[in-house]
Amino acid sequence: MKAPPFAYAAPASIEGALALLAAHEDAKVLAGGQSLMPALNLRLAAPSVLVDINAIPELSEVSITPAGLRLGALVRHSRIGTNSAIAGAVPLLGLAYPHIAHGPVRTRGTIGGSLAHADPSAEWPAVCLASDAVMEVRGPGGGRDVPAEEFSLGIFTTAIEPGELLVAIRFPAWPASRRAGFAEVARRDGDFAMVGAAVTVDLGADGTCTDARIVLFGASSRPVRRREAEARLRGQVPGAALLREAASLAAQGIDPPSDLHASAEYRRRVAPVMVRRALADALSLPEARLAS
Amino acid sequence: MNAPFVGQPVPRAEDVRFLTGRARYVDDIRPEGALHAVIARSPYGHARLLGVNKASIEGLPGIVGVIAADDIAHLPAEIPIRLAPLEGFQRFLQRPLASDRVRFVGEAVALIVATSRHAAEDALEQLEVEYEPLPAVVTYDAAREGAELLFPEAGTNVATRYSASMGDADAAFARADLVIERHMTAHRHTALPLETRGLIAHEEADGILRCWGATKVTQWNRRALAVMLGRPEHSMDLIEVDVGGGFGAKGEFYPEDFLIPFAALRFGAPVKWIEDRREHLLTTNHSREMEATVAIAFARDGTMLGMRAKVSADMGAYVRTNGGVVPAKAAQFLPGPYRMKDVALDVEALLTNKTPVGTLRGPGRYEAHFFRERLIDLAAEELGLDPAEIRRRNLLRPEDMPWSIGHLVPYEPPSAVDSSDVPAAFDAVTDAIGYEELRWEVRKPQPDGRLHGIGLACFVESSGAGPSETARVELREDGGLRVISGVSTQGQGHQTVLSQIAADAFDGGVPPSEIELLNGTASLIEGGFGTYHSRAVVVGGSAIHLAARSLRAKLLRVAAARLQLRAEDLVLAEGHLRREGSVQKLAALAEVRGWMREAGETPDATETFKPDGRTYTCGAHAAHVAVDTETGQVEVLRYIASEDVGRAINPLMVHGQAIGAAVQGIGAVFLDELVYDENGQLLTGSLADYLVATSSCFPNIESITLENSPSTLNPLGAKGAGEGGVVACAAAIANAIADALRPLGVEINHLPLGPDRLLRLIPEKPAP
Ligand SMILES: Cc1cc2nc3c(=O)[nH]c(=O)nc-3n(C[C@H](O)[C@H](O)[C@H](O)COP(=O)(O)OP(=O)(O)OC[C@H]3O[C@@H](n4cnc5c(N)ncnc54)[C@H](O)[C@@H]3O)c2cc1C
């Protein structure tokens, strides 16, 4: 389990990184290395050049403004999970964090790496989708914004084009009336989810749902919004029965993958349970958590 | 006899070294100029091997050479069977390199030696090996039917079949009021030590071929290697350094145990090979894959009258060193710690295109106890009896000892449970978990919406295999003791526990901290058999006890003569000789050592301990679980394991063994699983796919160590203490889950019980 031969460069600027990516067609960006290094050692990847972006200070910047939260692509999982200002700005980040890997992986792994890697069972892509995040992508021709919805394209595939770098993730400001919930099932603590749900619900003063986002992950080749289920909640005062309905709507028509840890059938069956539990937690309706 | 150390929770002496990074594992050995080996392995489950094109990597950077089957064809290179040689097995032995056919994914076809591991792995990608794939045999039925044969010349995939019985099962079944019969399966998994296997071999300037990284049974392995290499045994040594876990799998004689020394001789340089995790999962012995149809005959009052069983073990592609231990021990322990005298067993070992099978902590017992204990619960339900009550009515009692367990193992003499108090071990867990109350509590609706259940299981298992063990105890120049033993160590803490034994046998005159242990390495002592079958303390420790007693007697005899006192009036204390009843020190032991020399006596003693039979450990497990019926996830809320170890030399370490074993055993119910597809491809070749319990998975395990039935077969009274925590886990957890799911009409007959598998058993509620 030794990596195949590769050249290594650690540019100090985004421009430097982009230049290297432009010069070497099969170059790979190295962020936290928590997905890339195993792939190299298993010889599943054999890039000619590794472009290590860890020496680019800009990529680790965090800013919180009235417009929202902006996380540099190189911000580590552990910083997101342990910095109360970050989790305060986008509470879903804090709810998802305990489900991601373990200490050693969290201190190295980055949010940008997780998004660029695009594992369909990863937590951050689902959180980004449920929070209307926008990805800032930079390439030889300049920068562009990609909404989360258009960013994850499939298993290990994103909208990042060859030669491009994900530089930051922007989350819009979180309204005070927004509730969030997160639920997943994994084989062990810290394993990738078999299936999970990230939800946000906006409540009006009278308790009616004014808006909702329901995202399923691990249930298809990328995290997906479940708009019919969201629509079912809108304009209603959510109660246990409504959550059950929305949850089964959310799981309708999904075509989940099978793998060693969970069959498609398992995911189909558990997906609505995750949605229901995430909603129940978001809305503090413990009775909706229980099996009917 | 003064016994200040045995029985005390002496902290592990070796831990400081391990925890501060000062241990020396095989990969820490980095001889100058070492070459690095990697192994080309079959990507096919079953194929004709048409050729290895050595020229395809010749001249690549760093490549020193390639070894394929033709290079070893002149040697008698079949790996012999060490244990459990059942009839017919000789036809199915593995050679270190495949020659004309590969029979499992991962089978070695060539060895590449290079100046670095990287260069070797780069070349491995380029090596051309030609195969012609054949249909793979991966199921019990396909193996039995034999439409495709692994060894066409043998004409069968059935490695062996035998029947064994005691009493008259037919008569028992004829008397039965109730017969419970089920087809059940246990799943393939393996040992997962933190440290994988590894070897370094080098013929040093003195002409001795030394191999570091050996463990478990180094003396036997040296003998096997001598035959295979055609060199005298004394011209080589297998050296044990620190070992990061073995669990039965590490240290057996594998193909690499031949190939690496062979390469070292061929290339005249140290050759190093460290198994990577993928290789570990692909090539280190697997275990536990077994199907059984078991029937138990019951009387109306719950009395177990007799048992009939058919046990089939999937042995993988070859019979390796452990021979038929797994199926034979499963069959032997099917009756369990119950008063059942009429038993009939049919056993078969089947070859499939999977990794060969060997022992894993509690081999065969884990599976057998699962099969039997499930049936007992099913019977309890049919008969309207409480699961604890039906067990109590049948458990072996102290007055039944010794209890004959007949001649159920063809390659062993008849055996008997030496001593045991199973009811006490059983009461210990039912009391601890508050069974009488919990039994009703779990039936009530739970605030968390989950279904709760409680499961019980009892076990008996053997330990302390012979034939014998030899130990030498030397009085060092500084007055401390040096113990030399033939048992080996994979992390169990023998330095501590064997020192306690030696210290007490020496009347506590030398504290354990002044006792050094040399063991493991093949050349240290003759008459060593290694560490397996929980024998290191039971047999090895007894030999040390005898040797230390013998040295003590010799020392006192010399001192008495010198001082003109009676030996009975002398005592050993704090590294000195004293007169009984006096605090005055007569001489330091270092000085007494000089007296021994002067008297023409060597300051050492060697003794061999040959047990008369095996020791039997019994115990019980109780589990309280909560099942999430919507996700199939199970939480183990409480787990209690009792084990009557006869005598706990070091309760702290027995406790650690029990907890660790339970984590391993419970983990295997939910996590560990080696999955093959229909072509014999292993789908779980990394730790992302092969899941193993981590420290956060099962935090609620308690162990109860009992010393109710000291063994009468050794001077320590000790019995095996490393496996009791694992052997009944599948049984207790499965019973608890079945209890929880009883309202849903779910029966649990197959392992493992991960969430997907479990959810399939739980009927889906219609959507609202
Ligand atoms: C034991 C273990 C358990 C884990 N469990 C989980 C889990 O439960 N949930 C979870 O979500 N993840 C889990 N992970 C994955 C972990 O979160 C990784 O950190 C993450 O997937 C990748 O982030 P990274 O910074 O390490 O990226 P790297 O491994 O460095 O890179 C991953 C990929 O993204 C590309 N890339 C990285 N950064 C950029 C960028 N800025 N622009 C363009 N491309 C880029 C790389 O080229 C590479 O292809 C686990 C990992 C391990 C080892």
Side-chain angles (χ1 to χ4, degrees):
Chain A
M1 288 207 187
K2 302 290 179 199
F6 55 82
Y8 172 86
S13 68
I14 293 177
E15 292 67 31
L18 291 175
L20 282 161
L21 292 176
H24 305 278
E25 212 176 299
D26 67 341
K28 272 251 170 221
V29 172
L30 174 67
Q34 298 306 297
S35 296
L36 184 54
M37 293 314 296
L40 287 177
N41 286 345
L42 289 164
R43 297 193 176 223
L44 298 173
S48 61
V49 183
L50 276 194
V51 180
D52 183 345
I53 57 172
N54 286 275
I56 306 174
E58 208 182 321
L59 293 179
S60 295
E61 282 169 7
V62 173
S63 77
I64 301 173
T65 63
L69 169 71
R70 184 177 181 276
L71 296 174
L74 207 58
V75 173
R76 314 279 164 186
H77 306 330
S78 57
R79 186 160 162 215
I80 297 171
T82 56
N83 180 321
S84 54
I86 295 177
V90 178
L92 249 186
L93 289 169
L95 294 179
Y97 172 74
H99 298 276
I100 301 177
H102 330 87
V105 176
R106 293 171 179 174
T107 52
R108 297 290 313 160
T110 66
I111 185 164
S114 174
L115 287 159
H117 186 60
D119 189 301
S121 290
E123 287 82 1
W124 291 149
V127 168
C128 288
L129 185 55
S131 316
D132 293 337
V134 172
M135 317 298 158
E136 295 180 16
V137 177
R138 192 95 55 91
R144 61 191 180 106
D145 281 355
V146 184
E149 182 99 54
E150 293 158 26
F151 184 78
S152 298
L153 299 179
I155 302 174
F156 307 137
T157 346
T158 67
I160 304 175
E161 298 285 344
E164 286 187 328
L165 190 67
L166 173 61
V167 295
I169 301 97
R170 278 201 325 269
F171 297 86
W174 187 274
S177 59
R178 180 166 295 172
R179 314 288 192 85
F182 189 94
E184 71 168 54
V185 271
R187 294 295 300 274
R188 298 168 300 186
D189 286 348
D191 281 341
F192 278 104
M194 293 184 278
V195 58
V199 306
T200 65
V201 184
D202 296 354
L203 291 182
D206 59 353
T208 2
C209 166
T210 56
D211 201 0
R213 283 162 196 74
I214 297 178
V215 171
L216 269 179
F217 63 103
S220 49
S221 62
R222 60 197 177 106
V224 279
R225 290 269 301 261
R226 305 307 291 164
R227 293 187 194 275
E228 273 183 53
E230 294 171 2
R232 187 71 193 83
L233 294 180
R234 249 175 250 127
Q236 308 282 325
V237 176
L242 185 70
L243 298 199
R244 282 177 210 285
E245 248 182 81
S248 54
L249 273 179
Q252 251 166 41
I254 57 169
D255 182 17
S258 272
D259 60 30
L260 284 168
H261 302 309
S263 60
E265 186 42 41
Y266 181 89
R267 293 186 157 98
R268 202 173 291 122
R269 198 165 152 185
V270 177
V273 179
M274 293 300 106
V275 172
R276 200 184 77 228
R277 290 183 184 177
L279 287 170
D281 289 351
L283 296 163
S284 308
L285 292 170
E287 65 278 17
R289 263 199 147 259
L290 300 184
S292 52
Chain B
M1 190 176 105
N2 194 4
F5 297 108
V6 167
Q8 295 305 310
V10 177
R12 284 167 43 113
E14 39 277 89
D15 281 351
V16 174
R17 210 155 49 75
F18 291 152
L19 296 176
T20 55
R22 282 181 286 146
R24 186 164 170 257
Y25 298 103
V26 62
D27 194 34
D28 296 323
I29 299 172
R30 301 175 175 199
E32 193 118 342
L35 301 175
H36 296 263
V38 296
I39 292 160
R41 299 185 179 281
S42 169
Y44 294 102
H46 196 192
R48 281 204 183 83
L49 175 58
L50 303 179
V52 176
N53 180 4
K54 296 182 199 166
S56 60
I57 60 166
E58 259 166 33
L60 286 184
I63 294 306
V64 174
V66 188
I67 293 167
D70 58 321
D71 297 295
I72 59 168
H74 60 291
L75 295 168
E78 269 180 349
I79 300 172
I81 298 174
R82 182 173 68 82
L83 297 173
L86 289 163
E87 202 181 321
F89 276 179
Q90 290 300 333
R91 299 169 291 171
F92 306 113
L93 304 188
Q94 186 178 2
R95 299 175 65 86
L97 290 172
S99 53
D100 52 0
R101 192 184 272 251
V102 289
R103 297 181 176 87
F104 67 96
V105 173
E107 181 167 1
V109 298
L111 184 83
I112 299 173
V113 178
T115 50
S116 77
R117 175 76 182 231
H118 280 92
E121 287 194 21
D122 290 348
L124 180 61
E125 291 198 314
Q126 310 290 322
L127 182 72
E128 291 169 8
V129 183
E130 207 184 330
Y131 300 94
E132 182 189 314
L134 294 167
V137 178
V138 293
T139 63
Y140 299 101
D141 284 340
R144 250 178 237 121
E145 283 156 16
E148 189 64 35
L149 294 172
L150 276 78
F151 292 81
E153 62 282 10
T156 178
N157 294 321
V158 181
T160 200
R161 267 198 187 117
Y162 67 85
S163 297
S165 64
M166 56 180 187
D168 184 347
D170 288 346
F173 276 78
R175 282 204 315 278
D177 295 313
L178 171 72
V179 172
I180 298 282
E181 178 179 303
R182 290 292 184 278
H183 174 255
M184 311 175 90
T185 54
H187 65 297
R188 183 172 273 255
H189 54 281
T190 187
L192 206 90
L194 273 181
E195 182 207 33
T196 55
R197 294 185 292 135
L199 290 165
I200 297 162
H202 185 204
E203 188 176 37
E204 295 190 297
D206 58 2
I208 307 281
L209 171 64
R210 293 193 172 81
C211 306
W212 291 264
T215 186
K216 187 170 178 177
V217 285
T218 58
Q219 301 88 346
W220 190 90
N221 286 358
R222 182 169 70 158
R223 235 159 9 246
L225 183 60
V227 172
M228 291 170 74
L229 286 176
R231 268 177 85 105
E233 229 181 286
H234 63 259
S235 74
M236 52 183 94
D237 199 5
L238 301 195
I239 298 163
E240 183 177 80
V241 291
D242 284 323
V243 178
F247 308 112
K250 199 190 283 172
E252 289 295 339
F253 199 107
Y254 287 94
E256 297 82 2
D257 290 80
F258 168 83
L259 293 172
I260 303 306
F262 179 83
L265 293 175
R266 151 97 32 137
F267 299 112
V271 174
K272 179 171 187 171
W273 168 75
I274 300 292
E275 182 185 60
D276 67 31
R277 192 55 77 181
R278 186 175 149 72
E279 286 182 296
H280 179 83
L281 291 165
L282 275 177
T283 70
T284 294
N285 289 340
H286 292 177
S287 204
R288 306 241 206 272
E289 187 172 9
M290 197 175 286
E291 68 167 5
T293 301
V294 185
I296 306 181
F298 291 88
R300 195 161 290 113
D301 66 357
T303 305
M304 293 163 76
L305 301 172
M307 171 184 272
R308 279 189 192 130
K310 265 185 153 48
V311 175
S312 304
D314 179 333
M315 303 297 289
Y318 295 95
V319 174
R320 281 185 173 171
T321 51
N322 293 133
V325 169
V326 172
K329 290 288 138 175
Q332 182 187 19
F333 288 107
L334 262 178
Y338 299 99
R339 289 192 311 279
M340 207 169 11
K341 288 185 167 151
D342 300 304
V343 176
L345 307 168
D346 294 315
V347 182
E348 69 181 357
L350 302 171
L351 298 177
T352 61
N353 291 113
K354 303 178 195 169
T355 301
V357 154
T359 55
L360 164 62
R361 205 174 199 175
R365 288 84 159 162
Y366 186 87
E367 304 89 308
H369 297 323
F370 164 68
F371 299 149
R372 179 195 61 250
E373 295 292 320
R374 282 297 304 128
L375 296 186
I376 295 177
D377 270 21
L378 292 171
E381 193 166 351
E382 288 280 327
L383 295 168
L385 288 169
D386 178 276
E389 181 54 28
I390 192 170
R391 287 181 171 80
R392 282 202 182 94
R393 288 185 189 178
N394 290 286
L395 284 175
L396 295 177
R397 299 157 305 194
E399 60 267 31
D400 297 322
M401 299 298 134
W403 174 263
S404 164
I405 53 170
H407 189 201
L408 295 180
V409 181
Y411 54 86
E412 285 175 4
S415 193
V417 178
D418 53 335
S419 63
S420 96
D421 189 344
V422 201
F426 184 62
D427 289 347
V429 300
T430 52
D431 287 354
I433 206 161
Y435 181 81
E436 294 308 326
E437 238 174 273
L438 191 59
R439 183 93 199 109
W440 305 112
E441 279 305 310
V442 295
R443 297 256 170 284
K444 299 179 183 159
Q446 305 294 326
D448 61 12
R450 296 183 295 183
L451 292 180
H452 287 218
I454 180 167
L456 300 171
C458 301
F459 72 87
V460 62
E461 73 119 354
S462 66
S463 52
S468 64
E469 199 55 55
T470 301
R472 182 160 67 250
V473 179
E474 301 173 357
L475 182 57
R476 288 192 319 228
E477 250 171 81
D478 65 355
L481 295 181
R482 179 180 299 120
V483 172
I484 298 151
S485 164
V487 303
S488 72
T489 300
Q490 295 88 41
Q492 297 92 331
H494 291 144
Q495 164 67 46
T496 308
V497 74
L498 297 179
S499 299
Q500 288 176 258
I501 291 170
D504 275 16
F506 220 63
D507 291 350
V510 175
S513 56
E514 294 303 315
I515 299 176
E516 157 193 12
L517 175 71
L518 298 181
N519 72 313
T521 293
S523 61
L524 280 171
I525 191 162
E526 290 187 6
F529 290 86
T531 293
Y532 58 97
H533 197 254
S534 294
R535 67 187 299 283
V537 167
V538 177
V539 188
S542 294
I544 290 168
H545 169 88
L546 295 182
R549 290 306 284 168
S550 174
L551 175 60
R552 169 194 167 278
K554 191 172 176 184
L555 180 153
L556 292 181
R557 192 163 21 85
V558 170
R562 175 94 175 202
L563 299 168
Q564 305 208 328
L565 291 167
R566 294 187 324 158
E568 304 86 86
D569 293 335
L570 295 174
V571 293
L572 300 169
E574 293 158 35
H576 285 76
L577 198 61
R578 274 202 327 239
R579 201 170 172 162
E580 180 76 66
S582 147
V583 291
Q584 198 202 329
K585 291 168 177 166
L586 295 173
L589 290 181
E591 195 183 342
V592 181
R593 185 178 188 276
W595 299 352
M596 293 179 82
R597 284 269 184 234
E598 284 163 30
E601 297 270 18
T602 56
D604 59 40
T606 302
E607 294 290 343
T608 297
F609 175 69
K610 193 171 181 321
D612 266 345
R614 299 180 166 197
T615 54
Y616 286 83
T617 300
C618 71
H621 291 197
H624 176 193
V625 303
V627 184
D628 184 333
T629 54
E630 292 191 301
T631 65
Q633 287 180 306
V634 177
E635 188 185 353
V636 179
L637 298 172
R638 206 161 168 214
Y639 198 90
I640 300 173
S642 76
E643 187 177 14
D644 187 342
V645 301
R647 186 139 177 245
I649 310 294
N650 184 325
L652 198 62
M653 286 170 49
V654 173
H655 184 74
Q657 284 285 330
I659 302 284
V663 171
Q664 197 170 15
I666 300 170
V669 176
F670 298 112
L671 299 166
D672 301 66
E673 185 183 10
L674 291 156
V675 183
Y676 280 88
D677 73 6
E678 66 280 8
N679 300 315
Q681 280 298 334
L682 179 68
L683 304 180
T684 48
S686 84
L687 293 188
D689 301 315
Y690 186 90
L691 306 182
V692 66
T694 62
S695 57
S696 63
C697 290
F698 309 110
N700 305 316
I701 300 172
E702 296 154 56
S703 97
I704 301 171
T705 301
L706 300 169
E707 302 181 278
N708 291 329
S709 55
S711 175
T712 52
L713 298 172
N714 62 69
L716 303 169
K719 300 174 170 185
E723 298 183 331
V726 82
V727 292
C729 289
I733 293 283
N735 278 344
I737 294 174
D739 184 49
L741 297 181
R742 192 151 43 161
L744 306 177
V746 173
E747 223 183 88
I748 308 277
N749 297 328
H750 305 282
L751 296 173
L753 296 167
D756 189 305
R757 211 76 56 106
L758 205 54
L759 201 63
R760 272 182 229 201
L761 298 175
I762 298 173
E764 189 166 10
K765 281 207 187 135

